[in-house]
Amino acid sequence: MTARLNVNIDHVATIREARKTIEPSIITAAVICEQSGANGITVHLRQDRRHIQDRDIELLRDVVTTYLNVEMAATDEMIAIAERTRPDAVSLVPENPNEVTTEGGLDVVKNFDTVSNAAGKLKDAGIFVSIFIDPDTEQIEAAKRSGAQQIEICTAEYAELTLSARAMHGEGERKANNEVERIRKAAVHANSLGLLVAAGHGLTYRNVGALAAIPEITEFNIGHNIISRSVFVGLNQAVREMIDAISK
Ligand code: PXP
């Protein structure tokens, strides 16, 4: 079965916030993604509100008819927003105020009490809980114990290894293949514990295929590459091309 695609539309809000104005509309973006075949919409409500704003979550909740996944830090403020707005899913992510984008997975082992407390509150509110983690056995097992229903495997390292097509020969190709194998083993292990498995971060039209071939991965969250391509070919075509890349 082909994995689902949630399109991360944070970058549409990044352009809007560059001018603190009303365009481009993330609501229009969400509707176009859905009409183009996306299975869901993902946004990250950051504590610094650098792109997505609280009101965006409220509006998206009213408009998104497929699946709304909100990435957030496991803080009291964020969990209260989720309890109020009720997205379909929350993905708990680490957050560092100085980072350009999310850097690696959440350390569930180290932050176990905070994460399991957040997961419990979200599940009580009827929200599906996913945790963004590195493909690491200890983290997977801690995520399971915390009450999460899904893990999202951080693919940043794989993305880095496959960024340049020229590096994908010899040693470069071997390292990338090893990383695919590490992700595959993590997905199989998580699945054996009863966790669903998603993947995301840095995935592109070129590198998603090797991960789409792993049957245990049933969801991808992809943003930067799709929104970048949409500048040249339009959002509709950019989403369709990613769906093709995942299903081939
Ligand atoms: N998944 C998670 C948990 C993320 O934090 C991000 C980036 O916001 C993505 C997926 C999407 O990453 P990208 O924009 O590189 O496709």
Side-chain angles (χ1 to χ4, degrees), residues 12-13 15-29 55-56 59:
V12 177
I15 300 174
R16 182 193 65 196
E17 293 304 309
R19 287 287 178 94
K20 300 271 176 226
T21 182
I22 57 168
E23 64 179 6
S25 158
I26 59 150
I27 300 306
T28 307
R55 182 161 159 71
D56 293 327
L59 293 172

Side-chain angles (χ1 to χ4, degrees), residues 8 10-11 44 71 91 93 101-102 132 152 200-203 221-225:
N8 181 316
D10 291 348
H11 282 0
H44 184 171
E71 297 170 2
S91 299
V93 297
T101 181
T102 314
F132 185 59
E152 178 177 347
H201 212 284
L203 296 178
N221 289 290
I222 307 181
H224 184 86
N225 192 231

Side-chain angles (χ1 to χ4, degrees), residues 5-248:
L5 170 66
N6 297 335
V7 181
N8 181 316
I9 57 171
D10 291 348
H11 282 0
V12 177
T14 300
I15 300 174
R16 182 193 65 196
E17 293 304 309
R19 287 287 178 94
K20 300 271 176 226
T21 182
I22 57 168
E23 64 179 6
S25 158
I26 59 150
I27 300 306
T28 307
V31 171
I32 292 173
C33 289
E34 288 190 319
Q35 286 177 347
S36 309
N39 303 99
I41 302 298
T42 294
V43 287
H44 184 171
L45 183 66
R46 293 189 68 101
Q47 292 171 94
D48 61 12
R49 307 297 198 275
R50 68 171 73 156
H51 39 54
I52 297 294
Q53 307 296 308
D54 298 40
R55 182 161 159 71
D56 293 327
I57 305 289
E58 284 161 26
L59 293 172
L60 285 167
R61 180 58 299 178
D62 285 347
V63 168
V64 170
T65 55
T66 51
Y67 187 78
L68 179 62
N69 171 37
V70 180
E71 297 170 2
M72 55 175 58
T75 65
D76 291 344
E77 181 205 12
M78 289 294 151
I79 301 308
I81 292 171
E83 287 172 326
R84 199 172 63 247
T85 51
R86 307 279 171 117
D88 297 289
V90 160
S91 299
L92 297 173
V93 297
E95 234 178 72
N96 159 4
N98 299 320
E99 68 195 358
V100 174
T101 181
T102 314
E103 290 168 349
L106 185 57
D107 189 341
V108 188
V109 174
K110 195 163 151 201
N111 300 289
F112 187 78
D113 290 347
T114 306
V115 173
S116 55
N117 189 21
K121 285 185 180 162
L122 293 166
K123 285 205 302 184
D124 285 349
I127 301 167
F128 183 81
V129 180
S130 183
I131 308 184
F132 185 59
I133 57 171
D134 291 325
D136 173 273
T137 305
E138 269 189 61
Q139 296 295 342
I140 294 167
E141 291 173 359
K144 173 67 185 173
R145 283 197 307 280
S146 77
Q149 290 135 308
Q150 175 175 281
I151 56 158
E152 178 177 347
I153 298 178
C154 175
T155 54
E157 207 160 316
Y158 169 68
E160 189 64 33
L161 289 167
T162 53
L163 197 58
S164 153
R166 269 174 292 164
M168 286 297 285
H169 298 288
E171 181 65 6
E173 191 178 18
R174 197 184 56 75
K175 281 188 183 161
N177 289 342
N178 284 349
E179 187 59 18
V180 171
E181 187 51 17
R182 190 163 83 105
I183 292 170
R184 192 191 64 78
K185 283 192 177 139
V188 169
H189 184 53
N191 230 214
S192 75
L193 299 178
L195 289 161
L196 290 176
V197 181
H201 212 284
L203 296 178
T204 71
Y205 299 95
R206 291 183 306 278
N207 69 15
V208 76
L211 301 186
I214 299 173
E216 286 77 12
I217 299 178
T218 52
E219 177 187 291
F220 288 103
N221 289 290
I222 307 181
H224 184 86
N225 192 231
I226 296 174
I227 304 302
S228 300
R229 182 144 176 81
S230 78
V231 172
F232 304 115
V233 303
L235 188 53
N236 180 309
Q237 189 178 326
V239 172
R240 286 176 196 277
E241 286 180 18
M242 188 57 83
I243 292 170
D244 278 356
I246 291 170
S247 57
K248 264 182 199 146

